[in-house]
Amino acid sequence: MLDGVSSAMTKLSKRSRKASFDKYVVPELELLYRVALAMTGKPENAEDLVQETLLRAFRAIERFDGRHPRAWLLTILRNALANQVRKKVPLPVSDVDESGNPESVSDHRDSPEFQVVDQAFDGAVAAAFEELPGKFREVVALVDISGMSYAEAAARLGVPVGTVMSRLHRGRTRIREGLKSEELFVEGGQV
Amino acid sequence: MRFKRAKTTSDTATCAEVMKHLQSYIDGEMRDDVTARRVAAHLEMCRRCGLEFETYKRLKNSLQQLGPLDQQAISRLSQFAQSLGEREDGDEIELG
Ligand SMILES: [Zn+2]
């Protein structure tokens, strides 16, 4: 009988847990993948990192108060990555990924410290990019990500070149402002 | 104001001019080579504008690395998220 009660409670908690997870976490998948990709620089590592983040979020969802899910998830992601970096940097060859290949430390752009700063910066930029209102984001995407000229972007969007320039400038400025408020980027100081 | 720059050397832009052209300069979109050279000359000697330039260049560099999202990866992650919700033992799941 006690077993029956506890199993009913488990089912209930399982259902509310899943409901919260679907409500707060699932809509942020693209953001998480985008940030993970920017921070790890490699699609397969990004996918692992997001999985780890999802798992941690799932375990912690009952303690989450429902406020600022993005910030909460990005904190989890950052911690998960920091944990991986701590594990990987001192013992590069001891860590073997699922395909059986040792994770190579030679991918790291510079010293670990530099890499952490770069990762944090790239991740914060990715998050701030995702936060941009659509009309700024589309111009930034065309010019910076797709590499279009102002004239090409203007033709694509059917707006004057001056509009492309002003949206691009405002979009970038917003990203920069986003970095300032984003604790992801603390080192470096010049932003 | 832009036209009253008799006191500044004509081969160096003012801070205000640099701020006006900085984004186009970073994007290699300046139509006017003379102005582009004057901006470059100013960035060499003005620390404040130089930092501004470095910041936006770094930002652009970082943005350039964001490609289109791999929708297959997104759908795999979405399946993974679904599978978490369906486990009885959420606390026991371990990643490989
Ligand atoms: Zn200046």
Side-chain angles (χ1 to χ4, degrees):
Chain A
M1 185 179 122
L2 273 176
D3 278 358
V5 171
S6 99
S7 127
M9 280 173 67
T10 305
K11 273 191 189 130
L12 188 66
S13 111
K14 191 185 128 193
R15 211 180 308 141
S16 73
R17 200 185 228 196
K18 179 163 165 41
S20 304
F21 192 74
D22 287 349
K23 181 173 173 191
Y24 299 118
V25 181
V26 173
E28 306 297 344
L29 269 182
E30 292 201 2
L31 171 88
L32 291 174
Y33 185 64
R34 173 73 84 193
V35 172
L37 201 54
M39 294 183 85
T40 62
K42 284 172 124 193
E44 59 273 29
N45 294 355
E47 210 168 323
D48 285 350
L49 179 58
V50 176
Q51 284 197 2
E52 171 80 29
T53 305
L54 292 172
L55 185 56
R56 288 177 179 222
F58 189 75
R59 286 174 180 162
I61 193 84
E62 278 152 327
R63 279 168 282 140
F64 175 55
D65 62 7
R67 290 162 59 210
H68 313 299
R70 279 192 170 181
W72 176 64
L73 288 165
L74 289 174
T75 302
I76 294 177
L77 183 143
R78 201 160 58 220
N79 290 341
L81 180 64
N83 200 39
Q84 287 180 1
V85 171
R86 264 198 299 278
K87 270 195 278 184
K88 273 167 197 172
V89 170
L91 293 167
V93 196
S94 72
D95 227 34
V96 174
D97 70 18
E98 272 139 323
S99 57
N101 300 318
E103 292 286 344
S104 111
V105 162
S106 61
D107 293 325
H108 294 186
R109 277 168 275 187
D110 253 314
S111 68
E113 296 76 25
F114 269 113
Q115 194 191 357
V116 168
V117 175
D118 279 352
Q119 279 176 342
F121 186 85
D122 289 345
V125 169
F129 170 76
E130 288 287 328
E131 301 269 349
L132 282 183
K135 70 175 179 180
F136 299 123
R137 195 173 47 194
E138 68 184 0
V139 175
V140 172
L142 292 178
V143 174
D144 286 336
I145 303 179
S146 305
M148 284 189 187
S149 68
Y150 293 174
E152 287 166 340
R156 167 70 68 93
L157 297 171
V159 300
V161 168
T163 305
V164 165
M165 290 167 73
S166 71
R167 287 184 189 169
L168 185 64
H169 190 184
R170 287 172 66 190
R172 287 175 178 163
T173 303
R174 278 180 182 238
I175 292 176
R176 185 189 181 183
E177 297 296 319
L179 297 183
K180 277 185 196 159
S181 60
E182 178 62 73
E183 16 161 341
L184 267 172
F185 186 68
V186 281
E187 300 93 332
Q190 58 169 320
V191 169
Chain B
M1 299 301 166
R2 252 178 296 133
F3 304 104
K4 279 175 68 181
R5 52 167 196 256
K7 295 273 177 174
T8 61
T9 43
S10 58
D11 37 283
T12 303
T14 62
C15 291
E17 282 177 290
V18 168
M19 288 305 124
K20 179 171 170 243
H21 295 296
L22 190 63
Q23 306 292 323
S24 307
Y25 181 79
I26 287 168
D27 293 326
E29 289 266 358
M30 289 196 64
R31 297 269 169 271
D32 173 2
D33 287 348
V34 176
T35 310
R37 273 198 297 273
R38 294 174 67 245
V39 168
H42 182 92
L43 291 175
E44 288 285 310
M45 48 159 250
C46 176
R47 183 178 147 74
R48 199 173 62 112
C49 291
L51 279 178
E52 197 75 2
F53 170 67
E54 289 302 326
T55 299
Y56 277 106
K57 213 173 68 171
R58 191 173 176 200
L59 191 72
K60 183 178 174 79
N61 194 37
S62 189
L63 285 166
Q64 282 172 322
Q65 293 165 37
L66 303 176
L69 281 188
D70 173 3
Q71 288 307 319
Q72 289 187 337
I74 298 296
S75 73
R76 278 194 301 272
L77 287 168
S78 177
Q79 279 165 21
F80 179 80
Q82 279 300 312
S83 76
L84 284 179
E86 280 149 20
R87 307 252 186 151
E88 289 288 345
D89 52 352
D91 288 319
E92 309 303 327
I93 307 161
E94 284 302 333
L95 287 174

